[in-house]
Amino acid sequence: MNTWRVGSVRVTRIEEQLGVGGFSPENFLLGFDREVFRKLLPVFPNHYSAEKDRLVSSMHSWLLRVGGKRILIDACCGNHKERPWMPRFHQLNTRFMENLRDAGAAPEDIDIVMCTHLHSDHVGWNTRLENGRWVPTFPNARYVYSDKEDAAFNPARAAGLDPNRAIVYNDSVLPVVQAGQAQVLSDGIHELAAGLVVEPSPGHTPGHVALKLEDGGQRGLFCGDALHHAVQVFRPDWNSAFCMDPDQARITRRSLLSHCADQNALLFPAHFAAPYVAAIHREGEGFGLRFVPATAP
Ligand SMILES: [Zn+2]
């Protein structure tokens, strides 16, 4: 069971990997409070390994069929990518493409790949290795991301960029640019398909975007890495260690959670563990959640 519905739109989770991360909870979530976490853990028992004392997270893409188009939101880590600084992303050989085929989509069927941001675990499957070269995985897709994000992670534009970020850009973004398949969005709101809107959601990265879906009176929100872990619903001020602008990340997180609570929008995060998708309500100073299991294969 890996498909949810928002109105008539089917949203399918395409798994790349599910497991523990490499950081202790304190090192991954800044402000982490063990006592608070222990009390909340019964709400999201699959999101923590007590044995390893690590948060559990998922790497997955969301496959949507909107207005006759097949759209992939985020592109995980990819196979064979050289990421020695991040063992969980390094030289992978996962079944992601088989999982995508099992969901009914061949690579040539994908019309749009939407990268919420350009971190390595969101652009990996943009490209695949062919005869020693990185080529677009999805030959008929346009690859969409924001110009602000490009300015932050394109080594030709970002002075002093971390060399590891440049490696990611060069093997996972530049090849789709060179193939003429990149579509870079100006800052602002854009309709990607009927009822599917891209909005700036900065903080985790400068050009991070979220997607709001509305169909048949129902709503969904794809929040990328504005949230990483379910505990951040209850404690929206706890940032990940990778949020580049901490104050803005908190503002954006609260804003997106408010949208979900006020508009009854299902939250589709990029990294929550099972059951992956949640309905959000206001609770205390933050928010609460009710997980919504998948309804179809
Ligand atoms: Zn991520």
Side-chain angles (χ1 to χ4, degrees):
M1 301 292 270
N2 50 18
T3 295
W4 289 255
R5 274 186 184 278
V6 176
S8 66
V9 177
R10 290 166 57 88
V11 182
T12 301
R13 175 179 172 270
I14 310 297
E15 181 170 295
E16 182 184 67
Q17 48 172 313
L18 177 64
V20 294
F23 300 88
S24 70
E26 284 86 353
N27 285 341
F28 188 74
L29 290 176
L30 306 182
F32 184 83
D33 180 321
R34 239 166 228 278
E35 189 56 24
V36 170
F37 188 73
R38 191 183 59 78
K39 284 184 184 153
L40 289 168
L41 194 54
V43 182
F44 40 78
N46 300 327
H47 291 220
Y48 175 69
S49 163
E51 185 195 338
K52 296 184 171 156
D53 188 29
R54 290 288 185 269
L55 303 175
V56 173
S57 61
S58 167
M59 305 283 155
H60 53 244
S61 299
W62 297 111
L63 174 67
L64 283 66
R65 300 162 180 84
V66 183
K69 295 215 180 306
R70 282 195 171 90
I71 300 169
L72 204 59
I73 298 179
D74 283 327
C76 302
C77 301
N79 278 358
H80 314 304
K81 296 279 159 87
E82 187 71 10
R83 309 281 185 253
W85 63 89
M86 192 69 89
R88 196 180 175 193
F89 302 167
H90 180 55
Q91 288 296 339
L92 300 180
N93 190 12
T94 72
R95 288 184 42 81
F96 178 84
M97 292 305 290
E98 287 84 351
N99 293 342
L100 186 60
R101 280 186 191 277
D102 289 348
E108 53 271 21
D109 296 334
I110 301 296
D111 299 294
I112 297 171
V113 178
M114 178 76 229
C115 299
T116 59
H117 61 299
L118 298 184
H119 277 167
S120 57
D121 56 320
H122 295 260
V123 297
W125 277 108
N126 282 5
T127 58
R128 63 184 174 84
L129 202 53
E130 184 182 84
N131 300 323
R133 284 181 58 236
W134 294 107
V135 299
T137 305
F138 306 103
N140 300 318
R142 55 192 166 103
Y143 290 77
V144 184
Y145 50 93
S146 81
D147 183 57
K148 270 197 174 168
E149 199 67 0
D150 191 73
F153 293 106
N154 180 347
R157 298 176 71 186
L161 183 69
D162 176 340
N164 293 341
R165 302 283 190 210
I167 290 170
V168 171
Y169 190 93
N170 288 336
D171 66 28
S172 298
V173 182
L174 191 57
V176 306
V177 175
Q178 291 173 333
Q181 290 179 247
Q183 181 185 2
V184 181
L185 299 180
S186 61
D187 205 23
I189 296 173
H190 299 268
E191 189 170 51
L192 196 64
L196 184 64
V197 167
V198 182
E199 287 191 14
S201 55
H204 181 62
T205 59
H208 188 286
V209 298
L211 289 99
K212 290 177 177 173
L213 172 65
E214 182 171 358
D215 189 85
Q218 297 185 340
R219 293 187 174 91
L221 174 77
F222 299 86
C223 67
D225 281 4
L227 289 92
H228 284 82
H229 190 278
V231 73
Q232 291 174 289
V233 173
F234 298 86
R235 291 292 182 273
D237 291 338
W238 294 5
N239 277 328
S240 88
F242 297 96
C243 292
M244 291 171 70
D245 181 340
D247 290 339
Q248 184 59 52
R250 292 187 190 96
I251 291 167
T252 290
R253 191 172 302 114
R254 281 187 181 273
S255 167
L256 295 177
L257 289 167
S258 295
H259 171 82
C260 288
D262 297 344
Q263 303 295 321
N264 204 19
L266 278 183
L267 182 69
F268 291 87
H271 295 305
F272 279 23
Y276 311 110
V277 173
I280 304 296
H281 57 268
R282 292 181 186 277
E283 191 175 292
E285 293 174 14
F287 299 84
L289 66 76
R290 175 180 57 81
F291 281 110
V292 177
T295 54

